[in-house]
Amino acid sequence: MMKAIRSVVAVLAGVILSTLAMASSNSDEAIRERIQPVGSACIQGEECAAASGAATASASGPRSGEEVYNASCGACHGVGVLGAPKKGTSDWAPRLEKGLDTLLANAISGINSMPPKGTCGNCSDEELSAAIEFMSKF
Ligand code: HEC
């Protein structure tokens, strides 16, 4: 009788232990599952880092008209070197009559002593246009 009880207890204990073991392996799995999204978030994070790097690059992309002017155009257009229309003066009046599109086209290809792209080789059309607008206001 005692033997029978002991073996029942042993079986119960075995069931309980294996249930606990399963439970703990389940919770390990659960933990792994909970960790995995973090792991993939890390991978996504790297992609995100690259993407946000690109976003940062494009955010800092187009320079303002003032920046382009200061870096590339001011040397001539500040004081009117070689007859360049001076920034913020009525020198621009007859130029503006041609329309901004023509001024931009001439700035891109160069005109007389005005070098192509005003020496800003890596300037986009947008940046050149912003620089023209910046210096032609008077
Ligand atoms: C090396 C001197 C020099 C630099 C640098 C320079 N320019 Fe000029 N630019 C000139 C001269 C000279 C003219 C007058 C050309 C002419 O009409 O004979 C001129 C004219 C212009 C015109 C008028 C064009 C037209 O059709 O009347 C624009 C627009 C212009 N420049 C834009 C720029 C921009 C934008 C930059 C900078 C990115 C720049 N320039 C840099 C010398 C320069």
Side-chain angles (χ1 to χ4, degrees):
M1 186 59 183
M2 281 300 277
K3 242 185 182 178
I5 289 171
R6 244 183 254 136
S7 65
V8 166
V9 166
V11 166
L12 280 177
V15 167
I16 289 165
L17 282 178
S18 66
T19 305
L20 282 176
M22 269 170 59
S24 83
S25 86
N26 273 350
S27 70
D28 278 354
E29 254 171 62
I31 288 168
R32 241 176 272 129
E33 262 174 26
R34 259 181 271 134
I35 286 172
Q36 197 172 19
V38 176
S40 50
C42 258
I43 291 161
Q44 282 172 356
E46 281 167 36
E47 285 170 3
C48 279
S52 76
T56 305
S58 71
S60 67
R63 286 159 285 189
S64 71
E66 185 173 6
E67 285 172 312
V68 172
Y69 170 83
N70 286 335
S72 307
C73 323
C76 294
H77 287 273
V79 290
V81 171
L82 304 167
K86 290 190 286 293
K87 176 191 176 297
T89 69
S90 56
D91 286 1
W92 283 98
R95 312 274 178 177
L96 287 169
E97 278 169 21
K98 304 184 209 175
L100 272 177
D101 287 350
T102 305
L103 293 186
L104 176 61
N106 290 342
I108 291 168
S109 56
I111 175 172
N112 301 322
S113 314
M114 157 80 192
K117 290 195 159 194
T119 69
C120 184
N122 65 1
C123 269
S124 66
D125 294 0
E126 190 188 354
E127 289 168 329
L128 289 171
S129 172
I132 294 168
E133 283 184 48
F134 174 77
M135 66 178 153
S136 65
K137 277 199 195 91
F138 62 94

